[in-house]
């Protein structure tokens, strides 16, 4: 460790900054356009590509197809998440609790809410 001893006390680390919001459609279309440009270039030079490197053409095709799918799917995903969040907010305002009571499934595994390494079951 190059002479540096690990210590139990670490300097207080600042809180991480909040995630940046981006325009999802711009990001998706920029990536799809990049794959489309690469596909066109590879189709133009495909005769000069070695046979073992022609799989890149199909990689670009997949990139374009996934980009088109993402441009359809991501807005629906965001609308669904917003709808679910508003429903949770309505439930919380209505006096209902958002969390359900823990259930005993008979499993001896430790849930993520319990202290790691310690099981409450014997």
């Amino acid at each position: 460790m190059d002479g540096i001893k690990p210590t139990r006390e670490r300097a207080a680390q600042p809180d991480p900054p909040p995630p940046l919001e981006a325009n999802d459609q711009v990001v998706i279309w920029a990536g799809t356009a990049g794959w489309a440009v690469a596909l066109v270039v590879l189709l133009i030079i495909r005769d000069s590509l070695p046979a073992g490197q022609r799989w890149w053409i199909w990689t670009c095709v997949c990139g374009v197809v996934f980009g088109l799918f993402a441009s359809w799917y991501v807005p629906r995903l965001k609308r669904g998440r917003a709808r679910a969040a508003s429903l949770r907010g309505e439930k919380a305002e209505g006096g209902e609790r958002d969390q359900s009571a823990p259930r005993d499934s008979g499993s001896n595994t430790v849930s993520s809410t319990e202290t790691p390494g310690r099981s409450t079951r014997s």
Side-chain angles (χ1 to χ4, degrees), residues 31-32 35 58-68:
T32 304
W35 283 113
W58 292 108
T59 301
C60 293
V61 169
C62 289
V64 170
V65 170
F66 284 139
L68 294 173

Side-chain angles (χ1 to χ4, degrees), residues 47-117:
D47 292 334
S48 65
L49 283 174
Q53 297 295 317
R54 292 194 181 148
W55 59 271
W56 277 105
I57 294 171
W58 292 108
T59 301
C60 293
V61 169
C62 289
V64 170
V65 170
F66 284 139
L68 294 173
F69 173 74
S71 68
W72 170 81
Y73 179 73
V74 169
R76 283 156 185 76
L77 176 71
K78 290 184 92 167
R79 280 194 300 266
R81 287 181 176 175
R83 193 176 323 119
S86 68
L87 288 174
R88 281 193 308 270
E90 289 173 7
K91 285 182 182 178
E93 287 176 5
E96 296 181 26
R97 295 199 62 152
D98 195 7
Q99 297 178 353
S100 61
R103 294 177 284 198
D104 185 16
S105 63
S107 173
N108 289 331
T109 59
V110 178
S111 76
S112 61
T113 58
E114 296 173 0
T115 304

